[in-house]
Amino acid sequence: MESERMYGDKGEVPDGEYLLPIGKAHIAREGTDVTIVSFNKMMKVALAAAEELAKEGISAEVIDLRTIRPMDHETIIRSVMKTSRIVVVDENWPFGSVASEIAFRVQKDAFDHLMRPAARQSKADTPLPFAPAPIEASLPSVSRTVRAVKECMYLVK
Amino acid sequence: MRTIQFREALNEAMSEEMRRDPSVFLMGEEVAEYDGAYKVSKGMLAEFGPKRLIDTPIAELGFTAIGVGAAMNGLRPIVEFMTWNFAILAADQIINHAAKMLQMSGGQFHVPIVFRGGNGSAGQLAATHSQSFDAFYANIPGLKVISPSNPYDAKGLLKAAIRDN
């Protein structure tokens, strides 16, 4: 699954042939205070939020899922055991989403490590509107992700 | 290292796998003569010819069924959807046939097929063309769902997906 918004994005690739394993997530940024999990174009939101948080001295670990199914729960759980907090940034609707699947597994396998319940930034639970302002309000954003992280850290209510 | 676009990374992945394995082919709306709706398959018709770069009618259920049948008979199709929003029309083939054939045939038929295309919102495209299907298809046993965020991941994972049985 790609994104019409990403076809023009540029990035570095090796000259030679390589394959990446299906079902393995990638730690895109290492951190110690909170785990932010995302994938596809929402990775831009996750990484920008981590950058904003860094300015305020909050160290976010950002995991790029790469594969949704089979999901690399091991990498997520290992990170949560280190940070004790998790925010999932997911463009799916909230019900039965990638975020809710991750939240289930985190509470099942890392319950004793959590300082706060898992949090998520999902798409608003409604068909996406047409006008720009309500679209912006419906999709996960950098500012709302930053706020969700701060809520996890008891810095805002 | 080279710096390339996301679409070029996908193109390289498909082209390399098609050079390596003659059973791999690409089909979908406007993939051949027009170089792909988003120019992902640019230049591939010239290299691989019309037998392996197949322009389909605007009929997702039908051409997805052809892809599933081809995979059951030993080929390795890549089916491009202009976006996953249009693949709703092909959901019966993806969910009931591609995903279940291995189990329902008692292991007789593998379906090594790749479905790919744009997913999620992309500006003011309105409600029916702005949906994310990662979680939706990840709910289906028998499917693997890959959702990369950058050219490096897209190339390496698409090549792995094409080879995956």
Side-chain angles (χ1 to χ4, degrees):
Chain A
M1 295 198 171
E2 300 144 18
S3 167
E4 290 126 286
R5 277 289 172 88
M6 294 198 299
Y7 286 128
D9 286 4
K10 290 180 177 167
E12 286 195 336
V13 299
D15 294 321
E17 184 176 49
Y18 67 97
L19 280 82
L20 294 174
I22 295 170
K24 280 297 289 179
H26 170 64
I27 298 174
R29 178 182 177 127
E30 293 203 12
T32 53
D33 296 332
V34 61
T35 300
I36 302 176
V37 179
S38 193
F39 55 95
N40 202 280
K41 71 174 180 289
M42 286 299 138
M43 274 300 292
K44 293 179 183 178
V45 174
L47 288 168
E51 200 63 44
E52 285 297 310
L53 290 160
K55 290 177 192 164
E56 300 183 42
I58 298 166
S59 166
E61 180 145 294
V62 182
I63 296 177
D64 184 345
L65 283 179
R66 285 183 173 166
T67 303
I68 308 303
R69 181 187 179 119
M71 192 175 282
D72 185 1
H73 288 293
E74 192 185 331
T75 295
I76 300 168
I77 297 295
R78 201 181 308 125
S79 178
V80 170
M81 285 179 170
K82 180 172 73 173
T83 64
S84 306
R85 298 171 180 88
I86 180 167
V87 176
V88 184
V89 184
D90 177 3
E91 201 194 318
N92 287 270
W93 284 304
F95 194 103
S97 61
V98 175
S100 59
E101 177 65 17
I102 291 171
F104 168 76
R105 286 295 292 256
V106 167
Q107 64 82 30
K108 177 173 169 288
D109 295 337
F111 187 81
D112 291 338
H113 296 268
L114 285 172
M115 297 288 284
R116 283 277 293 218
R120 67 181 174 187
Q121 292 292 300
S122 299
K123 181 158 61 184
D125 198 9
T126 178
L128 195 75
F130 178 72
I135 288 177
E136 200 284 324
S138 299
L139 295 174
S141 75
V142 175
S143 61
R144 285 188 292 274
T145 302
V146 166
R147 186 178 172 81
V149 168
K150 288 181 177 175
E151 283 173 9
C152 279
M153 303 189 71
Y154 300 99
L155 295 172
V156 292
K157 276 187 183 173
Chain B
M1 294 290 252
R2 299 164 293 129
T3 300
I4 61 171
Q5 290 185 359
F6 203 108
R7 56 166 64 81
E8 295 171 313
L10 297 168
N11 183 308
E12 286 184 6
M14 293 191 290
S15 297
E16 286 175 19
E17 292 307 301
M18 285 177 70
R19 285 175 206 129
R20 177 181 166 272
D21 180 350
S23 69
V24 180
F25 68 98
L26 174 65
M27 61 191 292
E29 292 154 0
E30 310 208 72
V31 297
E33 297 281 347
Y34 190 68
D35 284 337
Y38 296 100
K39 305 298 172 195
V40 170
S41 49
K42 190 175 181 182
M44 289 177 67
L45 176 63
E47 179 174 355
F48 298 105
K51 283 194 172 174
R52 298 180 72 193
L53 258 285
I54 301 169
D55 275 326
T56 65
I58 304 173
E60 285 82 4
L61 180 63
F63 70 71
T64 304
I66 291 169
V68 172
M72 288 172 64
N73 284 284
L75 298 179
R76 305 185 84 86
I78 305 165
V79 175
E80 177 177 308
F81 296 118
M82 203 174 287
T83 97
W84 279 95
N85 292 285
F86 305 151
I88 291 173
L89 278 300
D92 176 54
Q93 281 297 322
I94 300 170
I95 295 169
N96 278 339
H97 299 266
K100 295 182 176 61
M101 190 58 68
L102 179 65
Q103 192 219 45
M104 292 186 74
S105 69
Q108 294 180 86
F109 289 106
H110 283 260
V111 187
I113 189 167
V114 173
F115 303 111
R116 45 156 294 269
N119 183 49
S121 65
Q124 289 181 267
L125 300 179
T128 60
H129 290 173
S130 302
Q131 301 170 93
S132 295
F133 293 94
D134 320 77
F136 183 92
Y137 284 110
N139 255 293
I140 311 297
L143 298 180
K144 294 179 182 176
V145 179
I146 298 170
S147 201
S149 69
N150 59 72
Y152 172 80
D153 291 1
K155 182 176 177 183
L157 286 163
L158 179 52
K159 283 170 69 77
I162 292 167
R163 293 187 197 185
D164 194 72
N165 284 320

